């Protein structure tokens, strides 16, 4: 795989700082039951990096100590972590909002038969990837049979109340473009998804987030192999909208990897760009017990143009300039699947 950090490090992206930390995004490990072409984590069934019990316990300690309001669980497939359920229950007992970035096919994996019911019982928000409502396109991007299994997963969630009118169980979907292009306007896509999924599959959901691909890991490497890395960066830079700077997810979030190391977002985690925390060079989760992450400089590089292109993305879908982070993160979480 081609490393893309050397191509991204020199940047003229404007400097930004964190505001108040309200979300802890925890990557529980890179193991996944899928190995999608575009995956910016390069997750797969063969990956072995997974968070241990000590670090999972520390996550709960930090949530309590810092009064963090949202725990955003991601991976790989976060549900494959042996500590997923204890983290969910522990966070919910603290009154913390929990988001599960779910790939939908995990709901039909062996041993996960009760996963959907568990998520519903705990009131976990589900943000699920469905890159298109066309079966052929989804299968091409994510693997044979993934579309049908995704629809089966959505039906399970709908049957439990997710995405239904009057229900508090939130089900969000994530759209990705099919290649090196910007997503179309989120509002139009949302209407299309609503219509198509209801008409053909009787599926309901709450919100749709249209995300821009980041030129890192598998997707970035593919761009390099095809000789289109520079033109994709040009596309992102050309679509820069300054007002999106206000609402990128790193302004209110810290990302944690499976070993407890801290980053400003999941993309920086994949690039190995550690967060800044006082004078600590490679800060760790435990450092949040003694150091305040608010007002720290964010580690930027050229990939940050992916968060400010067009309607904005930052793994939370289109950004809402007048109501920073809170309005975006109320419904959306922070990472593409
Ligand atoms: S890529 Fe990460 S650090 Fe850069 S703007 Fe987006 S969220 Fe912030
Ligand atoms: S994109 Fe999501 S579902 Fe696909 S391999 Fe990566 S983590 Fe797994």
């Amino acid at each position: 795989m081609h490393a893309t950090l050397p191509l991204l490090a020199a940047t003229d992206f404007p400097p930004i700082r964190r505001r108040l930390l309200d979300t802890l995004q925890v990557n529980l490990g890179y193991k996944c039951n899928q190995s999608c072409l575009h995956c910016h984590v390069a997750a797969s069934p063969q990956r072995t990096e997974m968070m241990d019990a000590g670090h999972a316990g520390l996550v709960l300690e930090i949530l309590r100590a810092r009064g963090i309001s949202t725990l955003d669980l991601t991976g790989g497939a976060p549900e494959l972590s042996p500590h997923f359920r204890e983290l969910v229950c522990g966070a919910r007992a603290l009154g913390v909002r929990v988001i599960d970035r779910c790939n939908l096919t995990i709901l039909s994996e062996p041993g996960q038969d009760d996963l959907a019911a568990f998520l519903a019982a705990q009131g976990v928000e589900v943000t699920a990837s469905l890159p298109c409502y066309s079966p052929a396109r989804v299968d091409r991007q994510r693997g044979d049979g993934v579309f049908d299994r995704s629809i089966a997963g959505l039906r399970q969630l709908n049957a439990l109340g997710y995405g239904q009118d009057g229900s508090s169980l939130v089900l969000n979907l994530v759209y990705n473009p099919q290649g090196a292009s910007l997503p179309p306007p989120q509002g139009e896509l949302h209407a299309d998804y609503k219509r198509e999924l209801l008409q053909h599959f009787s599926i309901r959901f709450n919100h749709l987030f249209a995300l821009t691909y980041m030129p890192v890991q598998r997707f970035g490497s593919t761009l390099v192999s095809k000789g289109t890395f520079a033109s994709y960066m040009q596309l992102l830079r050309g679509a820069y909208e300054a007002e999106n700077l206000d609402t990128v997810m790193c302004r209110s979030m810290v990302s944690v990897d499976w070993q407890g190391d801290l980053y400003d977002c999941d993309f920086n985690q994949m690039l190995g760009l550690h967060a800044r925390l006082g004078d600590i060079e490679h800060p760790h989760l435990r450092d949040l017990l003694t150091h305040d992450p608010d007002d720290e400089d964010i580690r930027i590089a050229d990939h940050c143009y992916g968060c400010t292109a067009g309607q904005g993305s930052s793994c939370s879908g289109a950004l809402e300039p007048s109501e920073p982070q809170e309005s975006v993160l109320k419904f959306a979480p922070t990472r593409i699947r």
Side-chain angles (χ1 to χ4, degrees):
M1 182 146 41
H2 301 284
T4 55
L5 184 57
L7 302 171
L8 298 166
T11 187
D12 58 357
F13 192 82
I16 43 176
R17 298 171 87 86
R18 184 172 296 101
R19 294 197 188 98
L20 286 180
L21 175 67
D22 67 19
T23 299
L24 197 63
Q25 184 176 69
V26 179
N27 192 317
L28 289 171
Y30 305 148
K31 188 181 174 85
C32 187
N33 57 317
Q34 293 181 193
S35 46
C36 307
L37 281 179
H38 66 271
C39 183
H40 79 268
V41 185
S44 77
Q46 287 75 41
R47 298 294 294 260
T48 54
E49 303 93 331
M50 298 295 278
M51 183 172 276
D52 63 20
H55 284 97
L58 191 52
V59 167
L60 293 176
E61 201 178 332
I62 298 295
L63 291 177
R64 195 181 308 111
R66 288 237 152 255
I68 293 170
S69 60
T70 300
L71 174 65
D72 185 347
L73 294 173
T74 186
E79 306 88 346
L80 289 177
S81 162
H83 310 296
F84 175 78
R85 295 191 188 206
E86 73 199 46
L87 270 173
V88 169
C89 294
R92 294 298 290 147
L94 292 170
V96 171
R97 168 185 172 230
V98 177
I99 297 162
D100 174 30
R101 291 183 185 258
C102 178
N103 67 16
L104 292 175
T105 60
I106 193 71
L107 296 167
S108 54
E109 284 292 315
Q112 301 287 353
D113 314 3
D114 61 343
L115 176 60
F118 168 80
L119 296 172
Q122 290 293 324
V124 173
E125 284 187 30
V126 174
T127 291
S129 29
L130 191 69
C132 189
Y133 44 76
S134 143
R137 282 189 170 193
V138 172
D139 285 1
R140 193 160 56 237
Q141 191 180 87
R142 298 174 77 81
D144 287 346
V146 166
F147 184 82
D148 286 347
R149 289 181 65 193
S150 299
I151 293 297
L154 289 170
R155 285 190 170 132
Q156 268 193 67
L157 293 168
N158 273 177
L160 289 160
Y162 273 99
Q164 303 286 9
D165 291 344
S167 168
S168 60
L169 293 172
V170 176
L171 172 60
N172 300 315
L173 298 183
V174 175
Y175 163 89
N176 319 119
Q178 296 299 306
S181 58
L182 295 177
Q186 189 163 281
E188 290 171 25
L189 262 181
H190 185 249
D192 291 347
Y193 263 70
K194 279 263 172 197
R195 186 190 60 249
E196 295 295 320
L197 289 179
L198 189 60
Q199 196 174 321
H200 299 294
F201 307 103
S202 305
I203 299 287
R204 295 176 191 275
F205 64 95
N206 296 102
H207 306 278
L208 176 83
F209 304 122
L211 301 184
T212 302
Y213 279 142
M214 284 290 181
V216 302
Q217 287 284 18
R218 229 173 251 161
F219 183 67
S221 178
T222 304
L223 293 173
V224 173
S225 300
K226 289 183 171 171
T228 52
F229 190 90
S231 59
Y232 187 64
M233 284 311 305
Q234 206 174 352
L235 178 73
L236 297 183
R237 293 167 65 92
Y240 175 71
E241 294 288 346
E243 61 264 32
N244 291 332
L245 270 184
D246 207 34
T247 47
V248 289
M249 62 182 175
C250 51
R251 305 298 292 264
S252 62
M253 190 194 81
V254 165
S255 159
V256 184
D257 76 6
W258 62 284
Q259 300 179 98
D261 291 338
L262 301 186
Y263 306 83
D264 295 310
C265 70
D266 207 39
F267 308 118
N268 284 11
Q269 183 181 140
M270 296 311 136
L271 288 168
L273 282 175
H274 293 263
R276 294 195 172 97
L277 195 60
D279 55 3
I280 306 170
E281 202 166 323
H282 286 174
H284 186 268
L285 193 52
R286 74 176 77 85
D287 295 319
L288 289 177
L289 291 170
T290 51
H291 288 68
D292 187 351
D294 297 343
D295 211 34
E296 287 283 358
D297 285 332
I298 304 292
R299 295 286 302 277
I300 51 169
D302 242 20
H303 66 298
C304 295
Y305 280 107
C307 286
T308 52
Q311 61 196 335
S313 174
S314 199
C315 275
S316 314
L319 304 170
E320 298 176 23
S322 56
E323 297 171 37
Q325 288 309 71
E326 196 181 317
S327 68
V328 175
L329 292 172
K330 186 185 295 177
F331 306 119
T334 20
R335 186 193 154 259
I336 184 173
R337 307 237 12 118

